[in-house]
Amino acid sequence: MINEKLNRLEEGSKRPSYTNEKTDSYSGPIDPSFTSGRDDSVVEFEPLKRGLDARHIQMISLGGAIGTGLFLNSGQNIAAAGPAGALIAYCVVGFMVFCIMTCLGEMATFLPVSGSFNHYASRFVDPALGFALGWNYWFSWGVTIATELSASATIINWWKPIMPDAAWSVIFLVMIVAINLVGVRVYGELEYWFALLKILIVFVFVIIAICVTSGGLGDKVIGFSYWKDPGAFVDGGVGTISVLLSAGFSFLGTEIVGVTAAEAKNPSKTVPKAIRNTFWRIIFFYIVTIFLLGLCIPNNDPNLINDADDPATASFTLVFILGGIDAGAHVINAIVLSSVLSAANSSLYTCARTLMALARDGHAPLFLARTNRYGAPHYAVFISSIIGFACVFASIYSASAAFLWFLSITAVTGFIGWCGISFVQLRFRMAYVKQGRDIADLPYRCWLYPFSPIFSGVLCLLIILGQGYTAFTPKFDGTQFVINYIGILPVIFCYVIYKFIRKTKVVPLDEVDFDTGRVDRTEEDDEEEQKEGAKPWYLKIMHFFA
């Protein structure tokens, strides 16, 4: 079906095209099953506005990597694996994330289109794979909206209960819906300042932690004493592997930079820069943080577990208390609240853009592809927010069991998406070379290809399969097994059903389309690059961190 439409286009219809202006307009073939019976081979869509600067892209990427898990749950990983075990796990996962980002960056800079890796899967592999990855990814972010809105009410209640949880959820939902309806520039600006706030608190923590472990604050010099007693590792390799699984969840969301490429100014430069800087920021904000936490707090401290996600016993708070800052719990709770609101905002943005891209690829009703005068996909925003808020009520009003199943279904979705990015990029490069194109023409090349996609893809696959190991020890638990692995079924189900109904085939390497959606450099892009290079050294250093 797809090949027939492409042939019709080549025979005389308008070829799908994007424009490299402040907007991203698309016209191209769609699946007629979503066009109310029409058989249009070419459909014009309203444009997306390219309103995100380089600083927005970088901070959105970083903000996706620094979440509530770092502030509340990082201590759990040290308790589970010990300071050295947790450090090794975070180094491995951090490197895997960078490999995934560089794979996505090669495709997103060459073809900065809406839909990111879901669209690439349809285009370079099989429309059925794009359908499965897209809907699985959309549903995951829809449930994430619910979890963040529910968490926001809990965080506020830690200070003092004022209103019912549902009331807070409604207030915050209205806020993020309004933000996502007025254009990507507002979203990017808010995410910039949200991320900057998280960066500042991590900087403060690093300074305080160094002072605590060196004896500048507190009543003794700690150094590496806790690495000797109670020890650097807990449960040996098993403990490290268990943290390898949980650490991966901390980095979920970094792939949002690929979603934003369609709305970025000069994506051939801003996206690669964001990816490169993300690598060094991951090292600083995660590796250094975990290392210092392991120095300051022994792994047998009962407060590290923090099962209730209480800011008063969060690992950051414990270090602040060691440094004599008793108000640390209030500071961390405020930061966590901003992180939750930022995550909810990003979740709705990603959810709406994914749904819009599905519609533009013919995998969802066509009206969801429309945008308003600000360039925001308003119908997709409304539908995504409704689904998210429905899950909120499922979690609040005596439906915890149902919500647990929602979370279980979406728990591994991020890893499935990452695995998809890695293997789709392999297919992208194979087709690119097969058609005789020059690798040097790529605006950004995947680092250490083909090692990066193979390493990240295989490791993600192992994490997906290994994350449910708790169902097998100390004895097999059938219910836990289903809860752990049910999240794999939706993407398989979507792929098989679409494949069966649409009878799609894998796109031959020599028929892969590398022209639709390409964005060529303009004089304006060159001028912006020259201005960036002419900035003073101290501004370049500041922009590296912010």
Side-chain angles (χ1 to χ4, degrees), residues 22-101:
K22 296 300 178 184
T23 62
D24 170 31
S25 60
Y26 174 78
S27 61
I30 60 171
D31 192 324
S33 60
F34 292 109
T35 60
S36 302
R38 292 181 298 136
D39 189 22
D40 298 332
S41 61
V42 177
V43 173
E44 296 284 348
F45 294 113
E46 296 91 343
L48 288 173
K49 299 194 180 215
R50 294 190 179 274
L52 294 176
D53 294 327
R55 65 186 182 94
H56 295 134
I57 299 292
Q58 293 183 57
M59 295 300 270
I60 288 171
S61 177
L62 180 61
I66 302 179
T68 55
L70 178 65
F71 299 116
L72 289 180
N73 303 324
S74 53
Q76 296 177 1
N77 294 326
I78 295 175
L87 184 63
I88 292 172
Y90 273 89
C91 286
V92 172
V93 173
F95 179 71
M96 179 191 75
V97 170
F98 176 71
C99 289
I100 292 168
M101 294 289 287

Side-chain angles (χ1 to χ4, degrees), residues 113-124:
V113 298
S114 59
S116 187
F117 64 90
N118 310 314
H119 175 82
Y120 301 142
S122 294
R123 190 160 170 173
F124 306 139

Side-chain angles (χ1 to χ4, degrees), residues 143-475:
V143 176
T144 302
I145 295 172
T147 58
E148 302 299 348
L149 291 175
S150 299
S152 64
T154 303
I155 292 168
I156 292 177
N157 287 339
W158 182 82
W159 280 303
K160 183 180 179 181
I162 300 175
M163 292 189 298
D165 290 355
W168 284 116
S169 297
V170 170
I171 292 173
F172 292 136
L173 180 65
V174 171
M175 289 173 53
I176 64 173
V177 168
I179 292 169
N180 279 271
L181 287 177
V182 295
V184 71
R185 183 77 182 186
V186 175
Y187 163 79
E189 203 65 41
L190 285 172
E191 285 303 300
Y192 177 87
W193 292 106
F194 274 136
L196 185 60
L197 183 61
K198 289 186 278 189
I199 289 173
L200 290 176
I201 195 63
V202 173
F203 267 117
V204 172
F205 164 80
V206 168
I207 294 172
I208 293 175
I210 292 174
C211 292
V212 168
T213 192
S214 63
L217 293 174
D219 54 2
K220 63 177 181 179
V221 177
I222 299 176
F224 284 87
S225 60
Y226 294 142
W227 285 49
K228 299 176 182 178
D229 183 22
F233 292 92
V234 175
D235 293 336
V238 175
T240 301
I241 292 175
S242 67
V243 171
L244 189 69
L245 304 177
S246 61
F249 289 99
S250 301
F251 292 97
L252 291 176
T254 51
E255 75 284 349
I256 293 177
V257 67
V259 179
T260 62
E263 297 173 271
K265 299 177 181 177
N266 192 8
S268 63
K269 288 297 180 182
T270 56
V271 174
K273 185 176 181 181
I275 291 172
R276 284 192 294 267
N277 288 351
T278 296
F279 175 69
W280 299 110
R281 288 164 174 174
I282 284 174
I283 290 178
F284 181 81
F285 293 112
Y286 268 99
I287 309 304
V288 172
T289 297
I290 293 297
F291 174 70
L292 290 173
L293 282 173
L295 293 179
C296 294
I297 308 172
N299 60 56
N300 58 0
D301 188 324
N303 289 323
L304 277 179
I305 302 298
N306 194 24
D307 287 331
D309 289 343
D310 187 350
T313 57
S315 52
F316 273 48
T317 303
L318 298 177
V319 174
F320 285 166
I321 292 175
L322 290 173
I325 304 175
D326 296 330
H330 296 279
V331 174
I332 293 301
N333 204 47
I335 297 298
V336 169
L337 178 60
S338 69
S339 297
V340 165
L341 295 179
S342 171
N345 191 31
S346 294
S347 298
L348 184 57
Y349 171 86
T350 307
C351 208
R353 264 56 180 187
T354 300
L355 189 57
M356 179 197 67
L358 284 168
R360 293 192 172 190
D361 284 342
H363 299 326
L366 186 59
F367 75 93
L368 295 171
R370 297 174 183 170
T371 58
N372 61 16
R373 61 193 179 101
Y374 301 107
H378 51 299
Y379 289 120
V381 169
F382 285 130
I383 295 297
S384 299
S385 62
I386 290 172
I387 297 300
F389 196 61
C391 293
V392 170
F393 274 88
S395 67
I396 293 176
Y397 292 109
S398 302
S400 56
F403 194 63
L404 174 63
W405 284 101
F406 275 132
L407 292 178
S408 300
I409 291 173
T410 60
V412 296
T413 303
F415 293 99
I416 292 173
W418 283 355
C419 191
I421 290 171
S422 301
F423 291 116
V424 168
Q425 194 275 333
L426 279 171
R427 177 83 177 174
F428 168 86
R429 183 68 76 90
M430 290 170 61
Y432 194 86
V433 173
K434 175 74 173 178
Q435 296 185 15
R437 296 173 181 265
D438 189 356
I439 299 297
D441 292 337
L442 292 171
Y444 175 79
R445 290 184 291 278
C446 176
W447 187 63
L448 291 181
Y449 178 88
F451 171 78
S452 289
I454 294 175
F455 170 77
S456 57
V458 171
L459 187 55
C460 280
L461 190 60
L462 292 176
I463 290 176
I464 292 170
L465 298 177
Q467 53 86 27
Y469 78 99
T470 54
F472 300 94
T473 58
K475 64 178 182 179

